[in-house]
């Protein structure tokens, strides 16, 4: 089982670089990314009671503030629209797709929405495995036609999930392509009822 670690850069916070692991729960901060990686792996090693050489696979993500929105992307990922050859983030910031309005609505409701850049043909499990129970993830992807498709995944303990339909974290949901989810749910989103094994993500 993989652990996902989210490194967040916040220039208004000390330390400016923090990290948290899902589902491990490892958390901390450091001055540099190298120090944060080392501290995270030390924490994960202690939590799992294994040598650092025996740690499970780790998927790294970076979060930062972009035009007032928290944006997360997997380290090394390149999200590009095939029809326009533009970067997904460029398109997202340039168009009025309703995504920004949803981020504002969730923020005003008391949530801290995270815009997660994704690939339309990737399985939804790539997003579910980086969610905690308190998350509100605004999933954004290129529709390969010069625009952005998006939808919201709510953790069952997140703010703003009232009245949103629930869905179970099962094999069918996990194998659903990201684009199929956003086309089906649109701005309504879904509250994810986690499997018992995933409760440690809280």
């Amino acid at each position: 089982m993989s652990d996902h670690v989210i490194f967040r850069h916040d220039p208004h916070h000390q330390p400016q670089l923090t990290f948290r692991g899902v589902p491990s729960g490892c958390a901390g901060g450091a001055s540099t990314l190298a120090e944060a990686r080392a501290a995270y792996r030390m924490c994960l090693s202690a939590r799992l009671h294994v040598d650092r050489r025996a740690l499970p696979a780790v998927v790294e993500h970076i979060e930062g503030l972009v035009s007032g929105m928290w944006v997360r992307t997997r380290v090394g990922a390149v999200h590009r629209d095939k029809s326009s050859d533009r970067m997904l983030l460029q398109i997202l910031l340039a168009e009025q797709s309703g995504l920004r309005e949803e981020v504002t609505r969730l923020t005003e409701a008391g949530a801290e929405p995270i815009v997660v850049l994704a690939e339309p043909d990737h399985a939804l499990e790539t997003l579910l495995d980086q969610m905690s129970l308190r998350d509100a993830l605004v999933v954004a992807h290129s529709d390969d036609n010069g625009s952005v498709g998006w939808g919201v995944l709510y953790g069952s303990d997140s703010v703003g999930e009232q009245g949103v339909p629930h869905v179970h974290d099962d094999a069918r949901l996990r194998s659903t392509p990201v684009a199929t989810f956003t086309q089906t749910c649109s701005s309504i989103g879904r509250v994810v009822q986690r499997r018992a094994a995933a409760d440690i993500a809280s």
Side-chain angles (χ1 to χ4, degrees):
M1 183 176 179
S2 298
D3 199 54
H4 290 252
V5 58
I6 296 105
F7 297 105
R8 168 177 284 198
H9 179 257
D10 184 351
H12 305 297
H13 186 275
Q14 286 299 327
Q16 292 189 10
L17 195 64
T18 57
F19 65 85
R20 64 183 179 93
V22 179
S24 68
C26 286
S31 299
T32 68
L33 185 57
E35 291 175 357
R37 281 176 167 146
Y40 160 72
R41 291 181 181 277
M42 186 179 299
C43 173
L44 188 61
S45 177
R47 188 149 296 191
L48 298 179
H49 306 290
V50 298
D51 185 89
R52 292 177 66 179
R53 291 170 293 185
L55 289 175
V58 173
V59 183
E60 296 184 338
H61 307 266
I62 292 285
E63 277 181 4
L65 273 174
V66 181
S67 292
M69 301 183 294
W70 285 107
V71 177
R72 178 190 302 173
T73 188
R74 182 172 57 83
V75 172
V78 177
H79 304 286
R80 187 180 293 276
D81 180 79
K82 294 178 182 176
S83 66
S84 64
D85 198 34
R86 296 171 67 201
M87 299 301 291
L88 170 60
L89 188 58
Q90 289 178 302
I91 300 172
L92 188 155
L93 295 175
E95 72 170 19
Q96 297 298 320
S97 62
L99 183 150
R100 291 199 206 186
E101 288 81 359
E102 182 64 11
V103 168
T104 298
R105 186 191 72 79
L106 288 168
T107 302
E108 291 175 347
E112 186 184 70
I114 309 296
V115 178
V116 182
L117 305 184
E119 287 298 302
D121 57 346
H122 285 186
L124 210 56
E125 66 181 353
T126 59
L127 298 164
L128 297 175
D129 288 345
Q130 57 181 280
M131 281 186 71
S132 77
L133 299 183
R134 293 180 292 273
D135 277 343
L137 302 184
V138 183
V139 182
H141 64 85
S142 166
D143 67 359
D144 290 333
N145 194 31
S147 189
V148 176
W150 64 276
V152 187
L153 285 170
Y154 297 91
S156 54
D157 292 343
S158 64
V159 176
E161 55 83 20
Q162 294 81 4
V164 178
H166 288 227
V167 64
H168 288 284
D169 181 4
D170 56 17
R172 181 176 179 180
L173 178 68
R174 296 178 70 79
S175 63
T176 300
V178 169
T180 301
F181 165 75
T182 60
Q183 290 163 6
T184 304
C185 299
S186 186
S187 60
I188 299 172
R190 290 292 184 271
V191 176
V192 180
Q193 295 293 111
R194 307 311 299 265
R195 298 166 299 162
D199 286 347
I200 54 175
S202 65

